[in-house]
Amino acid sequence: MNKNIVILISGSGSNMAAIVKASRKGHWPQRLGAQVVAVISNKADAAGLVFARDHQIATAVLNHKAFGSREAFDAALMVEIDRHEPALVVLAGFMRILTPGFVQHYEDRLINIHPSLLPAFTGLNTHQRAIDMGCKFAGATVHRVTAELDHGDILDQAVVPVLLGDTAQALAERVLTQEHVIYPRAVESLLTQMT
Ligand code: GRF
């Protein structure tokens, strides 16, 4: 079985890059019949697109501002994604709220990484909010995507300490290094479970 992976990004794409590197280092095509076949961004200037092109991965840009509604954008996005017949659709810093129709279409094959220890701190500004609450630990969560934002089964988590005097940026960087560990690991684990 060909397990095609499509990754959606909006920005730097460092999680996408971590998954691509893990897939190549870990010989996913040979071992798991899996590979990252496309990277799609809603922003033309997303830095991650350069990495993808440099690694001979198909890229596409779909500017959400060119569509009249969230539904219209998601419908076009689905067409673009489905061209690749994905076994797994991976959200990696994709800064769009998805419609229930989109989520339903990819039920059981849509995952996301969120920079907090869910169920704490859904939504934005997770690091500042963790600091403001006096949390001693923060982290990241890989989870299945459901219609409710930042909910869905937890697949993997990483914990980092919140240090005295931490800024949101310092904490974000500490968390991000761990995201690069758990996201490839969670993807590999899901691929392994697929027959
Ligand atoms: C990460 O912190 C991720 O948890 C969040 O957005 C950020 C994306 O970073 N969803 P990158 O584009 O993968 O570098």
Side-chain angles (χ1 to χ4, degrees):
M1 176 186 167
N2 244 5
K3 300 167 194 163
N4 290 344
I5 304 164
V6 172
I7 306 184
L8 307 190
I9 65 168
S10 296
S12 58
S14 69
N15 277 293
M16 174 272 296
I19 292 166
V20 169
K21 285 181 200 159
S23 73
R24 296 195 177 178
K25 199 165 168 225
H27 306 287
W28 291 3
Q30 297 84 347
R31 281 179 42 238
L32 304 169
Q35 62 177 331
V36 179
V37 294
V39 172
I40 302 172
S41 172
N42 63 317
K43 297 199 165 176
D45 60 354
L49 290 170
V50 178
F51 174 94
R53 288 185 198 118
D54 285 350
H55 286 73
Q56 288 74 49
I57 297 168
T59 60
V61 175
L62 229 65
N63 179 3
H64 59 276
K65 291 182 184 152
F67 294 84
S69 67
R70 213 174 265 288
E71 285 72 20
F73 172 69
D74 278 8
L77 187 57
M78 283 191 250
V79 170
E80 189 57 45
I81 294 171
D82 287 346
R83 289 177 46 212
H84 302 283
E85 301 182 350
L88 204 55
V89 178
V90 175
L91 307 177
F94 187 62
M95 301 302 284
R96 298 286 308 160
I97 291 176
L98 300 163
T99 56
F102 182 98
V103 173
Q104 198 175 14
H105 184 70
Y106 297 107
E107 201 182 2
D108 295 328
R109 49 184 178 140
L110 183 61
I111 63 172
N112 181 43
I113 191 159
H114 181 74
S116 80
L117 292 172
L118 290 175
F121 304 122
T122 59
L124 297 174
N125 301 320
T126 54
H127 305 300
Q128 191 59 54
R129 287 158 64 205
I131 290 168
D132 292 347
M133 288 297 288
C135 294
K136 303 302 176 207
F137 294 94
T141 304
V142 180
H143 64 97
R144 289 192 188 277
V145 176
T146 60
E148 198 177 348
L149 187 69
D150 300 330
H151 282 67
D153 289 350
I154 291 173
L155 300 172
D156 210 338
Q157 283 185 312
V159 180
V160 304
V162 180
L163 302 180
L164 212 60
D166 251 350
T167 60
Q169 194 189 334
L171 180 56
E173 284 167 15
R174 194 174 310 122
V175 170
L176 193 60
T177 60
Q178 294 309 306
E179 293 183 31
H180 299 162
V181 175
I182 63 170
Y183 215 179
R185 185 169 75 193
V187 170
E188 179 167 358
S189 161
L190 283 176
L191 294 167
T192 307
Q193 289 163 37
M194 285 175 198
T195 46

